[in-house]
Amino acid sequence: MDNRSNILSCALRLFATRGYDAVGVQEIVEAAGITKPTLYHYFGSKQGLLDALLKESFAPLYREVKSASVYRSDLPLTLHQMAKAHFDFANRNKMFYRLQLALWFAPPESDAFKAVSRLNHELYQLTEEVFMRAAVDHGNMKGRHRAYAATFVGMINNYIALSLNGYARLDDQLLYQAVHQFMHGIFS
């Protein structure tokens, strides 16, 4: 593993287990077995390190959810695919997903929240666009796309948080149950 990858890996582990604000640059460089100038060479600062970590880790999640969010007049199928993309990514990237959720609930004025909120917003927009497109087929959904998107994303992230804390398994049964329950709420 090269220095850059090693630093990202160590930072992810430390940030996910202890929190971004609780980890200092010295702790990161000691864990990575490098010097501060090496970290600064690659990332410029602790914030630059977080930005790079988020950008690089979010990219595959965004691609997978974007691919799953293609709406073809079958909302249950599209939501199933989107939830599955989130679940599969979270199962493969537990530490990153834990960090991403923790940063999302950081104080709104913090640098950590600002860094993750831009990326979360891009991901959220994919979900909102699905509900806007689905409203054409389902007239009762018109004008409710934001509420549906927020509820759906919240549900997905809640199930992932439950899984990360050992209270649920992100498997096909939970996936079916979550999407089915959500769809029942929309159509009732």
Side-chain angles (χ1 to χ4, degrees):
M1 183 180 303
D2 64 15
N3 276 341
R4 187 177 189 286
S5 298
N6 182 39
I7 296 166
L8 287 168
S9 177
C10 289
L12 173 59
R13 183 176 41 80
L14 291 168
F15 294 161
T17 57
R18 301 224 356 265
Y20 173 75
D21 290 328
V23 177
V25 170
Q26 186 61 41
E27 188 173 359
I28 297 166
V29 299
E30 286 175 6
I34 54 140
T35 62
K36 284 183 182 180
T38 302
L39 184 142
Y40 295 136
H41 166 74
Y42 288 109
F43 304 105
S45 65
K46 180 181 163 188
Q47 181 66 47
L49 172 58
L50 178 64
D51 290 341
L53 178 62
L54 290 174
K55 183 179 178 185
E56 292 176 28
S57 297
F58 248 101
L61 174 59
Y62 183 84
R63 279 192 309 271
E64 291 172 30
V65 173
K66 183 175 175 88
S67 176
S69 71
V70 175
Y71 178 71
R72 293 183 181 95
S73 298
D74 188 343
L75 186 58
L77 176 63
T78 303
L79 295 180
H80 179 89
Q81 291 170 335
M82 291 176 71
K84 182 169 178 33
H86 279 276
F87 281 15
D88 289 350
F89 182 86
N91 275 328
R92 291 189 318 271
N93 300 279
K94 288 177 172 52
M95 271 197 254
F96 172 73
Y97 219 98
R98 179 178 296 280
L99 173 63
Q100 179 264 335
L101 289 175
L103 296 177
W104 183 239
F105 289 99
E109 296 304 315
S110 70
D111 291 335
F113 174 81
K114 290 174 185 174
V116 80
S117 68
R118 289 185 300 269
L119 298 166
N120 275 337
H121 182 71
E122 291 174 11
L123 201 55
Y124 169 81
Q125 281 189 301
L126 292 174
T127 307
E128 191 173 308
E129 289 168 10
V130 165
F131 286 107
M132 287 180 3
R133 288 188 299 261
V136 172
D137 297 328
H138 307 282
N140 67 327
M141 294 175 60
K142 197 169 243 169
R144 298 179 181 176
H145 57 278
R146 285 191 178 139
Y148 288 146
T151 304
F152 186 71
V153 169
M155 178 194 67
I156 289 170
N157 283 331
N158 190 54
Y159 278 124
I160 291 171
L162 288 170
S163 172
L164 292 171
N165 291 319
Y167 296 107
R169 288 189 61 216
L170 300 178
D171 57 18
D172 289 339
Q173 181 180 351
L174 180 61
L175 178 63
Y176 173 81
Q177 176 187 342
V179 174
H180 181 77
Q181 180 180 348
F182 184 82
M183 290 305 303
H184 181 72
I186 286 178
F187 291 141
S188 63

